[in-house]
């Protein structure tokens, strides 16, 4: 596919997954059109191009579709010129993919449940997510971003912790990332959000706060249904 | 098993029946890369080397290359492509085809083993659900394979083939018996693909027979107290 072919992202405003796709394109300097989905009423466009999972984001490059946000990031890195989103060294690449998957597979659910459940279950998930955060904290030693001097795959994977985490903490009163316990992660979140390119496609903080506050009960119910029976 | 010669700095920590370890063996064989295989005793006690090499998950497979660890089977496969570009690649060259292959390998990882476990662990309604899900998974993979000889299509035997081939020994007998279905009936193209994989040297020398897998699961069920 010629890099010059039209690029679209089928996404959703409040979705960190959708953000990853946009952020990758902006880091590479690739112009794109954003098509916003109403996730309660999914479009034919989305369902045609992601029939298996029916989820956002989907990247359309000409007539080719790519699904799954982390795969989209790798695709953008490979299909377009511009700053590399993954390291060049094979072992470093494997480590970047490892941490991106760790965040995706091991952190997303405990983070959500730590925020939106209560009682003993919540204590368990808080312990679990804090242990995971400690591992991420260690990865940031001596680095501005997980990718080093520049934002890369792991930073994009962790984007939820740059904007969404702070908003959830404010709504719920649950504190996961503090200056005392996780200073590097706290600083990273600020640096990430302040970056000109990725910051431009993060949802506005005040608006996200408003949207999520309105959905509090729904999130708590969702979290409860995710608990093991 | 083949491949255990002087090792080019490559060591694979595995468990004999693990399809995830077997993927790596298939990949190494496809690439003609010699390596040293180390069997981990997952029930007796994991080695210090394993725990040091994969401190986050403490799981096999682990590939060590000149002492540096790479974890997670699909990441190991990609690493082998990146680190040994002179060998036959598992992923195709085109970025979209690569994304497509990664997508389907991920799909297999997310769906097959979890659903398969529920087939031999559960009874009653949860078992019925698992069976229905597995048939759906097979039909989805059948549709993706289509008329292709291998999932890799023009590329030939590739990333998704190497990822899924070890599962053929699990479907035949174990999943089919516990799940009460036949792959040949539900997904005949997939069954034919499995037979083609079995004829491939890299697969034949890397996986164990369906009978051995079935016996292993039988033993495991006893250990777990499942009737």
């Amino acid at each position: 596919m010629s890099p010059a072919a039209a690029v679209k992202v089928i996404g959703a405003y409040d979705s960190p997954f959708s953000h990853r796709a946009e952020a990758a394109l902006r880091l590479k300097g690739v112009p794109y059109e954003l098509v916003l989905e109403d996730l309660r009423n999914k479009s034919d466009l989305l369902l045609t191009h992601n029939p298996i999972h029916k989820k956002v984001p989907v990247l359309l490059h000409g007539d080719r579709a790519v699904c799954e946000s982390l795969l989209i990031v790798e695709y953008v890195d490979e299909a377009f010129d511009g700053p590399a989103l993954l390291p060049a060294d094979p072992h470093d690449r494997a480590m970047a993919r490892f941490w991106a998957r760790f965040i995706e597979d091991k952190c997303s659910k405990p983070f959500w449940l730590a925020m939106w459940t209560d009682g003993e279950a919540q204590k368990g998930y808080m312990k679990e997510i804090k242990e995971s955060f400690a591992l991420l904290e260690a990865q940031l030693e001596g680095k501005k971003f997980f990718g080093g001097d520049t934002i890369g795959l792991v930073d994009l994977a962790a984007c939820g912790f740059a904007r969404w985490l702070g908003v959830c903490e404010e709504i719920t009163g649950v504190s996961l990332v503090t200056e005392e316990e996780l200073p590097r992660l706290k600083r990273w979140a600020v640096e990430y959000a302040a970056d000109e390119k990725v910051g431009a496609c993060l949802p506005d903080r005040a608006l996200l706060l408003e949207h999520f506050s309105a959905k509090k009960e729904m999130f708590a119910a969702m979290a409860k249904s995710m608990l093991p029976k | 098993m083949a491949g255990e010669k002087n090792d080019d700095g490559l060591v694979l920590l595995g468990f004999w029946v693990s399809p995830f370890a077997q993927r790596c063996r298939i990949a190494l064989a496809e690439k003609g890369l010699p390596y040293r295989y180390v069997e981990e005793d997952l029930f007796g006690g994991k080695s210090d080397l394993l725990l040091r090499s994969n401190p986050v998950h403490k799981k096999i497979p682990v590939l060590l290359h000149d002492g540096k660890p790479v974890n997670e089977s699909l990441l190991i496969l990609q690493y082998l492509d990146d680190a040994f570009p002179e060998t036959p690649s598992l992923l195709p060259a085109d970025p979209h085809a690569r994304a497509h292959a990664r997508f389907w390998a991920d799909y297999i990882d997310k769906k097959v083993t979890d659903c398969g476990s529920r087939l031999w662990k559960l009874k009653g309604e949860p078992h019925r659900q698992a069976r229905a899900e597995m048939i759906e998974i097979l039909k989805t993979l059948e549709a993706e394979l289509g008329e292709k000889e291998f999932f890799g299509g023009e590329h030939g035997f590739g990333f998704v083939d190497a990822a899924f081939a070890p599962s053929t020994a699990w479907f035949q007998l174990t999943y089919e018996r516990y799940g009460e279905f036949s792959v040949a009936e539900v997904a005949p193209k997939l069954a034919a693909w499995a037979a083609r994989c079995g004829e491939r040297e890299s697969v034949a020398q890397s996986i164990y027979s369906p009978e051995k897998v079935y016996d292993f699961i039988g033993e495991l069920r006893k250990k777990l107290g499942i009737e």
Side-chain angles (χ1 to χ4, degrees):
Chain A
M1 178 59 51
S2 146
V7 178
K8 284 185 191 172
V9 173
I10 309 175
Y13 183 69
D14 287 345
S15 159
F17 307 100
S18 186
H19 166 81
R20 288 170 181 166
E22 288 194 74
L25 290 163
R26 283 172 184 268
L27 287 166
K28 286 292 212 188
V30 176
Y32 64 94
E33 183 195 333
L34 177 65
V35 176
L36 283 175
E37 279 289 315
D38 175 1
L39 295 180
R40 294 159 303 178
N41 185 18
K42 292 176 180 178
S43 70
D44 282 341
L45 188 70
L46 173 61
L47 298 174
T48 307
H49 290 293
N50 193 356
I52 304 290
H53 300 304
K54 306 176 176 47
K55 286 181 174 177
V56 294
V58 176
L59 180 83
L60 293 171
H61 185 193
D63 58 356
R64 309 255 189 108
V66 182
C67 305
E68 307 276 282
S69 58
L70 294 180
L71 297 188
I72 291 171
V73 174
E74 288 219 48
Y75 174 81
V76 169
D77 198 37
E78 290 172 354
F80 300 101
D81 293 330
L85 301 177
L86 272 91
D89 172 74
H91 189 259
D92 292 341
R93 287 171 85 79
M95 288 313 296
R97 288 176 178 136
F98 174 85
W99 287 110
R101 300 215 67 115
F102 174 79
I103 288 163
E104 182 83 317
D105 297 341
K106 297 288 174 188
C107 296
S108 310
K109 192 170 159 187
F111 161 67
W112 194 250
L113 293 173
M115 279 293 159
W116 300 104
T117 57
D118 51 26
E120 280 311 305
Q122 194 213 22
K123 285 200 187 112
Y125 289 113
M126 279 207 54
K127 180 167 180 290
E128 192 181 334
I129 191 63
K130 281 191 171 184
E131 280 168 5
S132 295
F133 280 159
L135 292 174
L136 296 178
E137 178 84 3
Q139 286 301 305
L140 280 170
E141 185 176 343
K143 298 197 293 202
K144 185 177 178 189
F145 296 111
F146 290 103
D149 293 328
T150 55
I151 289 172
L153 176 72
V154 183
D155 301 281
L156 297 177
C159 69
F161 309 137
R163 172 55 43 96
W164 286 261
L165 182 143
V167 166
C168 289
E169 283 182 326
E170 193 173 320
I171 297 170
T172 61
V174 174
S175 174
L176 285 185
V177 177
T178 63
E179 188 62 46
E180 295 73 40
E181 291 178 339
L182 298 160
R184 291 183 203 133
L185 206 53
K186 196 123 179 115
R187 180 196 36 79
W188 168 86
V190 172
E191 298 274 18
Y192 185 92
D195 180 87
E196 203 178 39
K197 296 197 175 124
V198 307
C201 57
L202 280 171
D204 174 77
R205 197 185 189 283
L207 210 52
L208 189 64
L209 187 65
E210 199 184 298
H211 288 176
F212 271 28
S213 298
K215 291 181 182 172
K216 252 173 78 168
E217 279 75 34
M218 189 188 96
F219 288 162
M222 228 170 91
K224 204 165 171 193
S225 75
M226 284 161 71
L227 290 173
K229 315 253 176 305
Chain B
M1 276 220 150
E4 297 176 57
K5 313 179 197 86
N6 70 338
D7 50 60
D8 213 353
L10 290 169
V11 180
L12 181 72
L13 309 184
F15 182 62
W16 67 279
V17 77
S18 157
F20 305 102
Q22 289 169 356
R23 285 171 174 173
C24 303
R25 304 202 75 160
I26 291 169
L28 287 157
E30 286 286 324
K31 289 172 173 293
L33 290 168
Y35 63 99
R36 187 163 64 87
Y37 177 78
V38 175
E39 174 74 9
E40 283 286 329
D41 181 1
L42 296 184
F43 296 103
K46 295 173 181 177
S47 73
D48 281 342
L49 180 61
L50 172 58
L51 298 175
R52 273 199 325 267
S53 305
N54 191 354
V56 175
H57 301 303
K58 306 176 174 55
K59 284 183 172 178
I60 58 96
V62 174
L63 180 81
L64 294 154
H65 187 193
D66 294 333
K68 277 175 149 183
V70 181
N71 305 320
E72 319 253 297
S73 59
L74 294 182
L75 300 191
I76 290 170
L77 263 52
Q78 290 183 79
Y79 174 79
L80 289 172
D81 265 5
D82 287 345
F84 298 95
E86 71 281 9
T87 63
S89 64
L90 291 165
L91 281 169
D94 172 70
H96 184 254
R98 290 163 76 83
H100 191 84
R102 286 175 178 136
F103 175 89
W104 284 103
D106 258 2
Y107 175 86
I108 285 158
D109 262 11
K110 280 189 173 102
K111 300 278 187 183
V112 172
T113 311
D114 176 74
C115 190
S117 300
R118 283 183 279 135
L119 285 177
W120 59 260
K121 276 183 182 164
L122 304 178
K123 295 197 168 32
E125 185 52 36
H127 180 268
R128 264 186 289 279
Q129 264 178 9
R131 182 182 180 275
E133 262 182 61
M134 187 56 99
I135 287 171
E136 195 52 46
I137 290 165
L138 287 169
K139 290 194 164 149
T140 303
L141 289 169
E142 172 99 341
E144 168 51 27
L145 178 67
E147 302 306 321
K148 303 197 290 280
E149 186 187 7
F150 293 112
F151 284 95
E154 280 169 20
H155 183 78
F157 185 94
F159 191 69
V160 180
D161 303 283
F164 198 32
S167 298
T168 57
W170 288 71
F171 275 98
Q172 206 180 325
L173 271 192
T174 306
Y175 291 162
E176 281 183 328
R177 231 177 245 186
Y178 285 106
E180 293 158 30
F181 63 82
S182 151
V183 177
E185 271 171 34
V186 166
K189 291 178 185 144
L190 210 54
W193 166 86
R196 285 193 289 277
C197 282
E199 287 163 10
R200 210 168 167 87
E201 203 184 321
S202 65
V203 176
Q205 71 191 17
S206 302
I207 70 177
Y208 285 87
S209 68
E211 287 76 16
K212 285 219 155 83
V213 174
Y214 186 73
D215 288 344
F216 170 78
I217 289 299
E219 285 303 312
L220 189 53
R221 286 178 95 241
K222 279 192 203 136
K223 278 192 187 134
L224 296 171
I226 303 171
E227 295 291 294

